[in-house]
């Protein structure tokens, strides 16, 4: 049974409930609300239906884009490109300001041709992050042969601002594409364009496009004129016809490729003062198989792999890279790097003086910091309020992770308790009372962290992918505590997180006065220090050379050295050495 929701609504006169006849209002749109009641005599259910009656105003395509999804709209635009499926015709419609993709019933095919100016009534919606018009009820040609010139784009980032519009781009094939692919990639000096064929495009059209672009060598120059579509987070040019594609060359444009390689290469930033090993780009990300080669003016101080040996006197070293493509150097750059002499250590670290071999350095550093007073665990209740005191609020203590300032007097762990940065359950052979590993913490946050290892995150503390992020303001402090526990007790860093991550945290959140003061206080009680607070560059000496990226470079160099040795041995020894 049908009825009006509100029998007194004057808009009811535009819809005859008995006959279903609609009367159009003189202008604009009106709304009629109908109530449907379904009943079997014992139970019933109701549903409200909304009828929007009237002829919408003709709006620009830009106006259509601003409408809510599900809105009936009328607009006028010029057809710029189209293709057919079994049931539908799909095309781009554009006016002077904007464009939109349209899906219409194939019965409207007689009105669709490139250059036709059409009036259309449809429903505006969004699919795959792209505004489209569907449920086309009216489509009428109002002019013919009015083509729109494509907008020329150089920057791929501009595609998102031209959804639904007809554009032209130029670039070179980034790679050789497979002959079954639906997607192709063009690259120019400003970035990479994606070209995509619709999955429902007919097979002959796909084959014609593939014949032009598939199995061609990287570097062949191409111009494409097509509409801009979207799918998920990707924005690309939609290829409907092979006529949209023009090959500007039949062989790779080597000069253009060289220019594109240079435009995409990001100049490495190297420190003017070098105190540890350098991570030098290897050229893995260079386009078209280009390579980068490094050379040093003094391999004994800075090697061409970035390995740094701290000299006894201040030295300047020139480090140069060459980018090589097609057997010629297309870019070169030289850095003038200052390598300061080896530091003179304070009396506490005096025995490190003159040690240049890394293993011996670590062994001596471990011996130095292992000479300590092992305190009772309960002592931390009275020492942490001093070591982690809030410098701006007397009597308060700064808590780890949330960085809150609370009253420092011990109250049986109600206000704060003792957080083991390296969890107690994993302190195999290590003192649970070591003050360097203890920080005052909010009890609830301490419990939330539990014994989780550390994981990368951003901004504030919390659980990230099953691990624990200490927060931007504490991550460097945490990394230096992890380094201390590893050197002092030999605890394996991988139990607490990724070494590369801790090294990065150490650099991104450097040592501050709060940390230095804490180190001094702990030294007065425990008689040992965290060396990575006193000498932050110890991290480079102890860990960066051991990190996977740098270690792999070292291994490669050692293998090269070995093969060089094998090559100069007499035949008999070389045979044995190779075996």
């Amino acid at each position: 049974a049908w009825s009006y929701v509100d029998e007194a609504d004057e808009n009811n006169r535009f819809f005859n409930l008995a006959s279903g006849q609609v009367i159009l209002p003189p202008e604009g749109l009106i709304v009629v609300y109908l109530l449907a009641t379904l009943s079997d005599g014992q139970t019933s259910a109701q549903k409200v239906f909304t009828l929007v009656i009237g002829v919408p105003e003709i709006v620009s395509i830009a106006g259509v884009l601003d409408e809510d999804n599900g809105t009936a709209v009328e607009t006028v635009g010029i057809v710029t490109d189209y293709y057919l499926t079994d049931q539908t015709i799909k095309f781009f419609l554009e006016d002077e300001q904007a464009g939109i993709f349209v899906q219409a019933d194939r019965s409207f095919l007689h009105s669709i041709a490139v250059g036709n100016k059409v009036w259309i009534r449809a429903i505006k919606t969004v699919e795959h992050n792209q505004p489209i018009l569907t449920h086309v009820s009216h489509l009428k040609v109002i002019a013919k042969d009015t083509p729109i010139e494509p907008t020329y784009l150089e920057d791929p980032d501009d595609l998102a601002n031209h959804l639904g519009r007809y554009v032209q781009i130029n670039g070179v094939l980034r790679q050789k594409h497979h002959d079954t692919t639906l997607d192709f990639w063009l690259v120019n000096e400003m970035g990479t364009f994606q070209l995509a064929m619709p999955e429902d495009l007919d097979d002959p059209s796909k084959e014609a496009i593939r014949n032009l672009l598939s199995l061609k060598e990287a570097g062949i120059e191409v111009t494409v004129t097509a509409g801009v579509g979207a799918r998920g987070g990707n924005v690309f040019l939609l290829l409907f016809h092979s006529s949209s594609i023009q090959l500007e060359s039949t062989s790779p444009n080597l000069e253009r490729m060289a220019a594109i390689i240079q435009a995409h290469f990001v100049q490495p930033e190297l420190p003017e003062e070098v105190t540890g090993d350098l991570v030098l780009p290897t050229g893995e990300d260079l386009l078209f198989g280009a390579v980068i080669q490094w050379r040093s003016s003094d391999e004994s101080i800075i090697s061409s792999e970035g390995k740094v040996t701290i000299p006894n006197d201040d030295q300047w070293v020139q480090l140069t890279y060459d980018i090589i493509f097609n057997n010629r150097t297309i870019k070169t750059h030289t850095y003038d790097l200052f390598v300061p002499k080896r530091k003179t250590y304070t009396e506490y670290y005096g025995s490190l003086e003159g040690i240049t071999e890394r293993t011996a350095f670590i062994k001596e550093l471990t011996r130095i910091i292992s000479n300590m007073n092992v305190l009772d665990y309960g002592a931390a209740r009275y020492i942490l309020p001093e070591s982690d005191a809030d410098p701006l609020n007397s009597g308060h203590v700064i808590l780890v992770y949330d960085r809150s300032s609370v009253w420092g007097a011990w109250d049986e762990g109600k206000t704060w308790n003792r957080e083991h940065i390296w969890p107690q359950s994993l302190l195999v052979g290590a003192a649970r009372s070591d003050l360097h590993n203890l920080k005052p913490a909010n009890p609830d946050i301490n419990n939330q962290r539990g014994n989780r290892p550390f994981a990368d995150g951003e901004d504030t503390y919390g659980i990230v992918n099953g691990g624990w992020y200490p927060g931007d303001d504490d991550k460097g402090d945490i990394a230096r505590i992890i380094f201390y526990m590893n050197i002092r007790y030999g605890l394996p860093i991988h139990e607490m997180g990724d070494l590369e991550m801790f090294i990065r945290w150490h650099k991104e959140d450097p040592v501050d006065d709060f940390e230095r003061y804490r180190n001094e206080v702990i030294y007065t009680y425990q008689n040992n220090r965290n060396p990575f607070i006193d000498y932050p560059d110890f991290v480079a000496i102890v860990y960066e050379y051991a990190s996977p990226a740098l270690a792999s470079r070292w291994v490669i160099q050692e293998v090269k050295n070995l093969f060089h040795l094998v090559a100069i041995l007499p035949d008999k020894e070389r045979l044995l050495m190779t075996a």
Side-chain angles (χ1 to χ4, degrees):
W2 290 91
S3 61
Y4 297 113
V5 171
D6 180 4
E7 293 289 347
D9 190 338
E10 64 176 17
N11 285 341
N12 294 346
R13 61 192 174 90
F14 293 102
F15 181 74
N16 187 311
L17 199 59
S19 66
Q21 183 184 22
V22 171
I23 300 174
L24 290 178
E27 61 181 6
L29 304 173
I30 60 94
V31 178
V32 176
Y33 297 100
L34 304 179
L35 179 67
T37 303
L38 287 85
S39 174
D40 63 1
Q42 297 180 353
T43 60
S44 64
Q46 293 183 322
K47 181 178 176 68
V48 173
F49 287 81
T50 302
L51 299 185
V52 181
I53 301 175
V55 179
E57 289 184 33
I58 294 178
V59 297
S60 67
I61 294 177
V64 170
L65 298 177
D66 290 334
E67 294 285 356
D68 294 334
N69 291 339
T71 302
V73 296
E74 286 188 17
T75 191
V76 172
I78 297 172
V79 177
T80 57
D81 204 1
Y82 71 94
Y83 74 99
L84 301 174
T85 71
D86 291 340
Q87 302 294 327
T88 62
I89 180 168
K90 300 184 178 182
F91 58 95
F92 285 105
L93 195 66
E94 185 171 340
D95 60 17
E96 295 81 3
Q97 295 178 321
I100 194 166
F101 192 60
V102 185
Q103 298 181 30
D105 188 87
R106 192 163 174 148
S107 60
F108 293 108
L109 177 58
H110 64 281
S111 299
I112 300 301
V114 172
N116 277 5
K117 189 173 187 177
V118 299
W119 163 77
I120 186 171
R121 182 185 294 172
I123 302 296
K124 183 258 180 173
T125 186
V126 172
E127 289 185 6
H128 306 299
N129 290 339
Q130 179 167 13
I132 63 171
L133 292 178
T134 61
H135 298 87
V136 177
S137 59
H138 296 75
L139 198 158
K140 181 180 179 181
V141 178
I142 57 178
K144 293 185 177 182
D145 299 322
T146 56
I148 284 183
E149 287 297 316
T151 301
Y152 187 75
L153 297 181
E154 292 184 335
D155 188 348
D157 290 340
D158 284 344
L159 283 180
N161 300 321
H162 288 76
L163 272 180
R165 301 196 70 177
Y166 197 51
V167 304
Q168 186 176 86
I169 65 167
N170 175 269
V172 303
L173 289 172
R174 192 180 69 179
Q175 64 205 56
K176 180 182 284 190
H177 294 87
H178 197 269
D179 59 0
T180 60
T181 187
L182 289 173
D183 298 312
F184 302 90
W185 305 89
L186 291 187
V187 60
N188 67 10
E189 289 77 0
M190 300 192 72
T192 300
F193 291 96
Q194 181 181 357
L195 315 176
M197 291 185 283
E199 292 185 3
D200 57 359
L201 187 66
D202 64 273
D203 289 338
S205 296
K206 289 180 181 177
E207 188 66 23
I209 292 170
R210 288 184 179 127
N211 285 340
L212 282 175
L213 298 178
S214 296
L215 303 179
K216 296 291 194 301
E217 294 298 324
I220 290 179
E221 189 172 356
V222 179
T223 298
V224 175
T225 309
V228 181
R231 183 173 57 225
N234 296 330
V235 182
F236 42 77
L237 272 71
L238 271 173
L239 302 179
F240 300 161
H241 322 282
S242 59
S243 58
S244 301
I245 304 161
Q246 179 178 343
L247 270 59
E248 305 293 346
S249 60
T250 57
S251 57
N253 185 333
L254 297 178
E255 291 301 319
R256 182 86 185 274
M257 294 169 76
I260 291 172
I261 292 169
Q262 295 181 64
H264 283 249
F265 179 68
V266 178
Q267 181 81 13
E269 292 187 10
L270 300 184
E272 292 182 359
E273 184 172 305
V274 178
T275 58
D277 290 340
L278 303 172
V279 179
L280 303 178
T282 60
E284 294 178 358
D285 296 330
L286 290 176
L287 293 167
F288 312 126
V291 298
I292 184 170
Q293 294 181 353
W294 292 85
R295 45 194 167 89
S296 171
S297 63
D298 193 334
E299 290 277 344
S300 67
I301 298 177
I302 303 179
S303 75
S304 54
E305 286 78 29
K307 176 70 177 68
V308 175
T309 303
I310 303 298
N312 294 324
D313 298 302
D314 292 347
Q315 298 287 344
W316 284 90
V317 177
Q318 286 190 330
L319 195 61
T320 302
Y321 71 75
D322 298 309
I323 296 179
I324 299 172
F325 169 68
N326 195 35
N327 296 320
R328 69 183 181 92
T329 299
I330 61 172
K331 182 178 177 62
T332 186
H333 182 78
T334 298
Y335 299 86
D336 291 312
L337 304 176
F338 176 67
V339 187
K341 66 183 179 181
R342 189 173 300 281
K343 289 185 177 180
T344 300
Y345 301 115
T346 61
E347 182 178 351
Y348 180 78
Y349 299 100
S351 57
L352 291 173
E353 202 70 53
I355 299 178
T356 59
E357 200 276 320
R358 177 174 166 271
T359 303
F361 184 92
I362 294 172
K363 183 178 180 180
E364 180 57 19
L365 187 60
T366 302
R367 186 198 67 78
I368 292 171
I369 66 176
S370 297
N371 183 15
M372 61 181 283
N373 298 328
V374 180
L375 305 175
D376 181 82
Y377 182 52
R381 296 176 295 183
Y382 312 107
I383 298 174
L384 290 180
E386 181 182 353
S387 65
D388 291 69
D390 184 347
L392 302 178
N393 199 348
S394 178
H396 283 62
V397 64
I398 298 292
L399 303 186
V400 71
Y401 307 139
D402 68 344
R403 306 290 293 179
S404 61
S405 177
V406 302
W407 184 246
W410 179 255
D411 58 1
E412 303 304 322
K414 297 183 182 67
T415 303
W416 61 270
N417 61 10
R418 293 157 290 185
E419 157 75 326
H420 287 81
I421 302 304
W422 202 296
Q424 287 195 70
S425 60
L426 300 175
L427 290 176
V428 181
R432 75 167 184 153
S433 62
D434 192 323
L435 293 168
H436 289 294
N437 187 44
L438 294 172
K439 296 278 283 181
N442 177 286
D444 291 336
I445 296 175
N446 191 350
N447 185 61
Q448 186 182 3
R449 188 248 163 155
N451 64 353
R452 287 183 173 86
F454 293 102
D456 230 346
E458 57 181 346
D459 297 331
T460 58
Y461 69 91
I463 298 173
V464 179
N465 297 325
W468 182 258
Y469 182 60
D472 290 353
D473 293 332
D474 272 319
K475 63 184 182 182
D477 307 48
I478 298 304
R480 288 177 281 276
I481 291 172
I482 296 300
F483 296 148
Y484 166 86
M485 296 296 285
N486 169 250
I487 294 300
R488 168 64 183 86
Y489 299 105
L491 300 174
I493 284 182
H494 67 81
E495 288 187 355
M496 286 294 98
D498 179 63
L499 173 59
E500 296 284 350
M501 176 187 72
F502 288 128
I503 292 173
R504 179 163 40 79
W505 286 3
H506 164 71
K507 294 177 179 178
E508 292 174 350
D509 177 28
V511 177
D512 56 22
D513 290 339
F514 181 87
E515 211 174 348
R516 295 186 190 95
Y517 176 80
R518 170 180 155 85
N519 203 23
E520 293 294 340
V521 172
I522 293 175
Y523 177 59
T524 62
Y525 288 97
Q526 202 166 270
N527 199 40
N528 80 332
R529 309 178 67 85
N530 183 331
F532 303 103
I533 296 174
D534 292 326
Y535 291 96
D537 54 341
F538 278 5
V539 172
I541 296 172
V542 174
Y543 293 108
E544 289 201 70
Y545 184 43
S547 67
L550 292 166
S552 64
R553 291 212 313 252
W554 176 83
V555 169
I556 290 170
Q557 186 58 44
E558 290 301 304
V559 171
K560 288 179 179 177
N561 293 342
L562 177 61
F563 275 98
H564 176 70
L565 175 63
V566 169
I568 62 175
L569 288 172
D571 289 345
K572 183 178 180 180
E573 286 83 350
R574 183 165 67 247
L575 208 58
L576 291 171
M577 189 67 145
T578 305

